[in-house]
Amino acid sequence: ADRLKQEEADRLKQEEADRLKQEEADRQKKAEEDRRLAEEKKLAEMKRVKEGDVVPLNEVDAEPVAISTPAPSIPNSIRSTMPDSQSVIFSVLINHNGDVETVRMLRKTNNGQLNSILTDTVKSYKFQPARKDNLRVKVWKTIPMSIKK
């Protein structure tokens, strides 16, 4: 009878130890899951677009719309030296206020002075800014320009 009592006590002790081990494993699993969810939430927050972020043009909900694109004033002295009509290409960073923040000339003319005039002209362009998730964002946009002789 004592042996049975001892076996029963040992069995209960083992069950309690197993239960505690299982509880600890569950607690660790939950902590790991909470950590993973917090990490995912942080990642989603980092991916979320904020006003003023640079967003690829193909990912915006609304592309920038030109409001003001003044023609360049090219002096006759330069125009007369142009071999013929020319086309140039710009890559511009349009900021979240619709201003041209950065201008890169991808295709230039052979006249450095003319390139400067054209670049300054494009810098003065004004746009309705691009939008993503109803926020104003920055985008890079390609702008072609033709200059008649």
Side-chain angles (χ1 to χ4, degrees):
D2 281 349
R3 192 173 59 80
L4 281 176
K5 272 188 193 161
Q6 187 56 48
E7 281 177 7
E8 181 64 15
D10 289 347
R11 190 182 61 73
L12 286 172
K13 219 184 271 174
Q14 186 58 48
E15 274 180 14
E16 180 63 14
D18 290 349
R19 190 182 62 74
L20 289 172
K21 209 184 285 175
Q22 186 58 47
E23 266 181 17
E24 182 56 30
D26 290 348
R27 195 168 35 254
Q28 282 179 345
K29 194 172 168 187
K30 181 170 176 8
E32 187 55 44
E33 180 69 8
D34 290 349
R35 239 192 324 277
R36 193 181 60 74
L37 287 173
E39 194 61 34
E40 274 179 22
K41 193 174 172 185
K42 201 161 99 185
L43 215 60
E45 184 62 31
M46 282 166 55
K47 282 184 188 165
R48 206 183 90 232
V49 175
K50 292 175 257 338
E51 181 162 285
D53 282 357
V54 176
V55 175
L57 195 58
N58 63 349
E59 290 180 17
V60 298
D61 302 328
E63 290 198 14
V65 177
I67 296 171
S68 164
T69 56
S73 27
I74 302 166
N76 286 336
S77 57
I78 292 178
R79 215 178 270 277
S80 63
T81 63
M82 284 171 50
D84 49 16
S85 295
Q86 308 217 335
S87 59
V88 293
I89 298 176
F90 295 95
S91 179
V92 298
L93 179 61
I94 301 164
N95 72 17
H96 63 289
N97 293 321
D99 299 313
V100 174
E101 198 169 283
T102 307
V103 177
R104 293 189 185 136
M105 205 167 191
L106 303 181
R107 185 192 304 151
K108 303 178 178 195
T109 70
N110 295 333
N111 183 321
Q113 207 179 350
L114 177 57
N115 291 339
S116 281
I117 292 169
L118 299 176
T119 299
D120 289 344
T121 301
V122 171
K123 274 185 188 159
S124 73
Y125 282 12
K126 187 82 175 133
F127 292 83
Q128 185 177 310
R131 295 186 87 78
K132 169 85 176 157
D133 300 338
N134 219 15
L135 294 168
R136 299 173 312 155
V137 293
K138 296 180 181 183
V139 289
W140 281 98
K141 183 173 174 68
T142 303
I143 300 178
M145 183 189 281
S146 294
I147 302 105
K148 310 267 182 276
K149 181 166 170 64

